[in-house]
Amino acid sequence: MNLLLLSNSTQHGRGYLEHALDTVTAFLPAGARLAFVPYALADHATYTARVRDALEPAGIGVHGVHEHADPVAALDAADAVFIGGGNSFRLLSALHRTGLRDAVSGAVRAGLPYMGASAGTNMAAPTLRTTNDMPIVQPPSFEALGLVPFQINPHYLDPDPDSTHKGETREERLAEFLEENDVPVLGLREGSWLRVEGEAARVEGVRARPADLGGPAKIRRTGPGPARLFTRGAAPRELAAGTDVSYLLTTAARFDAPAR
């Protein structure tokens, strides 16, 4: 499979997809016809226009699947598919309702390049169980596209040592997930992505600039690399840009397998 899975589509201080535009335009070369799935947000037309404004200057034609009488048929004329971010529960519910969950999964396994951002990256995992989103709707199941056999947590956020908030940290929530499921979780920090080409996978990303994060004090909290890997029975592992994580593609996921 050919996958580009972005943690986020908008980096603070930059335009839509600007922080990863070189990577995106290499993945979607000039002349490509892109089927965009906007169902994670309520306003499909405005969302599609935003993607179109970002990519059409690079010669990429953007076509919202909602603009077609049959969203599934829109995949047939596409050179790639992009599922954008928003609410993961609303998105998965719409994918089930339109028939796109099975259609996209089948098309991507047959060779159609897949790009996801945020909720669209969540869709590439087996289930929604590691999303950060509120369940504003109830999809028929948590089962997502399963393009990779492990879980992903986009927008992974490191604990702020200066915060007085005493709620659960993201690390604590993922630890709870691993108490009930024996499945690796790849936490993608802002500005990072996972690239999958056939049987090879690596994490990449851009380091945040001081102007993006508000100064050097916040730079220190971004962590040493674009991703953090969580596995049952082991300490979280930091992953530098360019780290080969191809071994994760051979994961044997075990859901609903409480730790003993």
Side-chain angles (χ1 to χ4, degrees):
M1 282 183 284
N2 191 8
L3 315 175
L4 175 60
L5 306 177
L6 303 159
S7 177
N8 53 300
S9 55
T10 303
Q11 193 87 337
H12 179 69
R14 307 191 193 186
Y16 187 81
L17 291 175
E18 184 182 352
H19 68 287
L21 194 58
D22 289 346
T23 297
V24 170
T25 54
F27 183 73
L28 304 169
R33 182 181 173 94
L34 179 65
F36 176 59
V37 180
Y39 296 136
L41 294 185
D43 188 340
H44 303 155
T46 298
Y47 196 6
T48 301
R50 188 181 191 192
V51 177
R52 188 172 285 132
D53 288 346
L55 296 181
E56 284 199 340
I60 298 165
V62 176
H63 306 271
V65 297
H66 69 289
E67 299 167 340
H68 296 257
D70 180 2
V72 171
L75 297 178
D76 295 337
D79 299 310
V81 60
F82 174 31
I83 299 187
N87 185 278
S88 296
F89 291 91
R90 173 160 54 192
L91 173 58
L92 184 56
S93 182
L95 293 182
H96 277 279
R97 184 174 64 252
T98 60
L100 280 170
R101 191 188 73 87
D102 290 341
V104 170
S105 177
V108 174
R109 294 175 193 281
L112 186 70
Y114 178 97
M115 186 169 85
S118 187
T121 289
N122 276 327
M123 292 303 105
T127 83
L128 285 192
R129 298 187 193 199
T130 53
T131 182
N132 306 313
D133 297 330
M134 180 178 289
I136 61 173
V137 298
Q138 183 170 316
S141 80
F142 283 177
E143 186 176 351
L145 301 178
L147 303 178
V148 296
F150 53 91
Q151 291 297 116
I152 302 175
N153 179 244
H155 307 289
Y156 177 76
L157 189 64
D158 295 287
D160 182 349
D162 298 327
S163 175
T164 59
H165 177 64
K166 298 304 178 185
E168 288 180 320
T169 65
R170 191 70 54 78
E171 181 174 339
E172 288 171 333
R173 289 179 176 179
L174 294 180
E176 290 174 344
F177 170 81
L178 290 171
E179 289 172 351
E180 301 294 335
N181 305 277
D182 189 3
V183 187
V185 183
L186 184 66
L188 292 175
R189 292 187 173 95
E190 297 291 89
S192 65
W193 54 85
L194 175 69
R195 185 72 175 91
V196 178
E197 298 176 87
E199 298 180 356
R202 66 184 184 277
V203 292
E204 297 287 357
V206 296
R207 292 305 302 272
R209 305 175 302 179
D212 295 338
L213 296 177
K218 289 190 177 180
I219 286 289
R220 288 196 296 270
R221 300 182 194 134
T222 63
R228 202 166 192 221
L229 181 64
F230 296 83
T231 54
R232 179 183 277 185
R237 177 187 166 198
E238 290 291 341
L239 302 179
T243 298
D244 186 338
V245 291
S246 302
Y247 60 92
L248 290 177
L249 299 176
T250 63
T251 293
R254 296 176 61 240
F255 291 97
D256 300 313
R260 299 185 183 277

